[in-house]
Amino acid sequence: VTVSPTSFTTIPNTGGSGTINVTTTSGCAWNASTSSNWITIQKGAIAVQFTVSKNNAKNGRTGTIVVGNATVNISQFGK
């Protein structure tokens, strides 16, 4: 599994969304997951859509989305 992009580093504290494009070999099954409760994901056939909730904290935060064997880093600014 190959993903693009491999990171999102400018998500504002107000929240946001993005798309991770997924490339696999024909017939390769894959899943997407996150352990961050502030990131919501929806898996499609060739992409993962994600939404990041508002960050009310002063400090920024980071999380990951795992797509197959690839990791995508998500960084969100604080207030």
Side-chain angles (χ1 to χ4, degrees):
V1 172
T2 304
V3 297
S4 177
T6 57
S7 66
F8 291 82
T9 59
T10 58
I11 297 176
N13 73 302
T14 54
S17 61
T19 301
I20 303 165
N21 298 305
V22 181
T23 305
T24 67
T25 56
S26 180
C28 178
W30 56 276
N31 275 318
S33 64
T34 183
S35 60
S36 300
N37 63 1
W38 49 276
I39 302 173
T40 304
I41 59 174
Q42 183 175 355
K43 178 183 177 245
I46 59 170
V48 175
Q49 303 284 335
F50 70 90
T51 303
V52 173
S53 64
K54 184 176 181 179
N55 183 6
N56 291 316
K58 180 180 178 181
N59 295 325
R61 58 187 175 183
T62 60
T64 58
I65 298 172
V66 177
V67 181
N69 60 349
T71 300
V72 178
N73 297 305
I74 309 294
S75 299
Q76 183 182 27
F77 293 117
K79 273 188 162 180

